[in-house]
Amino acid sequence: MKITDAKVFVGGPGKNYVTLKVMTDQGIYGLGDATLNNRETLPAAYLSDYLIPNLIGKDPRNSEDMWQFMYRGAYFRRGPIAMAAFGAVDMALWDIKGKLANMPLYQLFGGKSRDSALVYAHATGSDLEALMDSVVSYQEQGYEAVRVQCGVPGMPVESYGVANRQQSDEQFITDFSGIHPKQEVWGTERYMRFMPDALAAVRDRFGPELKILHDVHHRLLPREAAEFAKAVESVGLFWLEDPTPADDQQALRLLRQHSTVPVAIGEVFNSVWDCKQLIEEELIDFIRVAVTYAGGITHVKRIVDLAALHHVRTGFHGAPSHSPLCMAAQAHLNAWAPNFGIQEYLVLGTPACDALFPSMHRMEKGRMYVSDAPGLGVDFDEAEAKRYQYKPGSHPVTRLTDGTLWNY
Ligand code: CS2
Ligand code: MG
């Protein structure tokens, strides 16, 4: 069996999805995702300029050898751009493998460990009242778990995770205002004073059953993160996410000394080396990598297996920026993983997105039901893709109140 051609498509409804399609001499094709949010043209170029010419003529069934060729052959290792490009190739080869075996990917991993996967949505509000209303709306849809983010009194409403209701959901993650990022302001002191009480108010209002998650989004120093984690310990959070930047993985030791709050980190990681210490020292409880950003199914399965040895559960990233292809790969891993935790699920099931990516996966009442179709269980409509072009966009940048450039 040989790869005969491959194509990259950039664009989509409100998103710059980067979709790879790999064709073979047996008529079977595979799909993969390289959507690196707000830097989409770069993995697309890596695919077109280097990887696709080296795919032609290769046997698509040798996905492990291809992964090693891409990773070791690059010489300069890792990084989000390369690993997203590798991820797309890897996903496409697994998709082909599943179609050849006439099996959904979870069967190739080891079958189902559960019939459905718990997912969480994002409840948000510019103030506590609006946040409570948002939580009610998700509970009414059957969600058992919600992430809660709230505007902080005295700070501009436009802060991370606080939806500007004027913005469409599609713009929530990427404001296609062009390549120059919006500037946002962050005040740590105000946040530290306000948020523990806000989280306690959500717990008081909704009782002990609701799984409450909160995302600090890398914005506290390690000491501040330890103080915050201690302050919210009695809320009984399902997890506290990205309390402090984890480039310095040992910094999480301080938080662990002061609080038993469950910690979730990993969405910005692109390889096992970014989280090996966090996992082996058991400094986290959930690993948040995304299949696209972390080199595809082959590499993420290694991370999941390492995590399983250290009581760390999965909590794959699932922001609105993710392609249905990435979410499909994660749906199969969620069905298989013995150490599954929860799945973030914000991919907007808009008619336009469903037309571009016909999917056989199903979301119902806060749970994901994986497709039994062979391979990934998502298709790609090339005719529909012609409607979309790349539109430059950028994450906002965040500054402290004194103007210091901070973590978005
Ligand atoms: C967030 C992300 O979903 C999350 O947990 O951290 O939405 C993040 O802000 C975006 O993926 C950035 O592109
Ligand atoms: Mg996050």
Side-chain angles (χ1 to χ4, degrees):
M1 185 176 195
K2 291 200 181 315
I3 293 169
T4 52
D5 194 4
K7 292 188 270 187
V8 183
F9 304 82
V10 181
K15 302 289 184 321
N16 291 311
Y17 295 128
V18 180
T19 303
L20 173 70
K21 184 170 183 178
V22 176
M23 283 70 85
T24 69
D25 57 1
Q26 292 191 19
I28 292 175
Y29 61 85
L31 297 170
D33 173 54
T35 308
L36 178 60
N37 199 23
N38 293 301
R39 298 291 183 276
E40 298 88 353
T41 56
L42 303 178
Y46 200 121
L47 286 162
S48 301
D49 296 355
Y50 182 75
L51 293 181
I52 288 177
N54 280 286
L55 281 173
I56 310 302
K58 295 284 188 353
D59 185 334
R61 295 170 294 186
N62 299 331
S63 51
E64 182 65 57
D65 182 67
M66 177 49 71
W67 201 92
Q68 300 299 332
F69 171 86
M70 296 187 293
Y71 184 81
R72 297 174 191 272
Y75 186 73
F76 301 99
R77 299 206 168 180
R78 311 201 294 269
I81 295 164
M83 295 295 269
F86 302 169
V89 172
D90 186 72
M91 265 181 255
L93 299 191
W94 272 101
D95 192 22
I96 289 167
K97 206 184 292 289
K99 289 169 179 174
L100 271 174
N102 195 27
M103 285 184 178
L105 290 191
Y106 70 79
Q107 289 293 13
L108 303 185
F109 302 159
K112 276 187 180 177
S113 302
R114 57 198 59 77
D115 284 331
S116 66
L118 176 69
V119 304
Y120 74 90
H122 282 192
T124 179
S126 51
D127 57 33
L128 207 45
E129 186 184 349
L131 172 59
M132 299 290 191
D133 293 345
S134 180
V135 174
V136 168
S137 75
Y138 283 110
Q139 279 202 316
E140 287 168 351
Q141 295 170 58
Y143 281 90
E144 302 167 45
V146 287
R147 188 193 82 165
V148 297
Q149 307 292 129
C150 187
V152 175
M155 273 179 26
V157 167
E158 287 227 316
S159 176
Y160 172 69
V162 179
N164 169 345
R165 276 294 161 228
Q166 282 66 48
Q167 252 185 343
S168 73
D169 279 348
E170 287 187 348
Q171 282 187 304
F172 179 67
I173 270 293
T174 303
D175 178 341
F176 288 102
S177 58
I179 217 68
H180 303 294
K182 290 186 300 178
Q183 307 260 337
E184 293 185 357
V185 175
W186 171 256
T188 296
E189 296 77 9
R190 289 181 187 275
Y191 170 81
M192 295 273 288
R193 280 198 297 272
F194 171 76
M195 200 51 72
D197 292 341
L199 293 171
V202 174
R203 173 61 71 208
D204 292 347
R205 164 78 185 272
F206 293 98
E209 293 302 309
L210 180 68
K211 292 177 175 64
I212 303 171
L213 301 81
H214 180 64
D215 192 347
V216 185
H217 219 253
H218 323 279
R219 297 191 174 188
L220 300 182
L221 296 169
R223 189 212 62 74
E224 294 165 342
E227 177 184 337
F228 187 89
K230 192 173 180 178
V232 300
E233 194 170 38
S234 60
V235 176
L237 292 178
F238 183 86
W239 82 30
L240 185 67
E241 180 179 344
D242 286 328
T244 189
D247 310 68
D248 173 14
Q249 298 181 52
Q250 66 81 34
L252 274 296
R253 290 174 185 157
L254 183 64
L255 187 156
R256 277 315 218 202
Q257 290 161 11
H258 291 276
S259 175
T260 59
V261 71
V263 175
I265 290 181
E267 68 182 53
V268 298
F269 293 163
N270 55 78
S271 93
V272 66
W273 305 106
D274 294 327
C275 52
K276 182 171 179 292
Q277 185 177 8
L278 289 172
I279 293 172
E280 290 181 337
E281 289 192 25
E282 298 167 11
L283 298 175
I284 57 173
D285 303 274
F286 296 89
I287 184 65
R288 291 268 293 138
V289 293
V291 165
T292 299
Y293 299 160
I297 291 167
T298 298
H299 193 62
V300 167
K301 262 181 106 290
R302 293 197 161 99
I303 294 173
V304 173
D305 287 339
L306 175 65
L309 297 180
H310 292 279
H311 329 293
V312 175
R313 289 183 284 168
T314 65
F316 294 137
H317 192 227
S321 52
H322 279 311
S323 161
L325 290 169
C326 175
M327 298 306 290
Q330 293 178 177
H332 287 284
L333 289 167
N334 291 337
W336 152 76
N339 52 327
F340 167 75
I342 196 168
Q343 171 63 58
E344 178 179 25
Y345 190 82
L346 299 166
V347 174
L348 300 161
T350 59
C353 189
D354 294 343
L356 184 58
F357 293 101
S359 169
M360 281 60 89
H361 298 271
R362 182 168 55 89
M363 260 289 291
E364 194 176 309
K365 293 189 176 164
R367 303 191 79 84
M368 166 69 82
Y369 295 82
V370 68
S371 159
D372 276 317
L376 276 170
V378 175
D379 204 348
F380 180 71
D381 186 321
E382 286 194 49
E384 192 69 16
K386 291 190 171 67
R387 298 175 54 200
Y388 304 106
Q389 287 76 37
Y390 169 67
K391 287 190 281 186
S394 178
H395 286 105
V397 295
T398 295
R399 292 183 182 275
L400 299 177
T401 47
D402 72 355
T404 305
L405 204 288
W406 200 237
N407 304 308
Y408 166 64

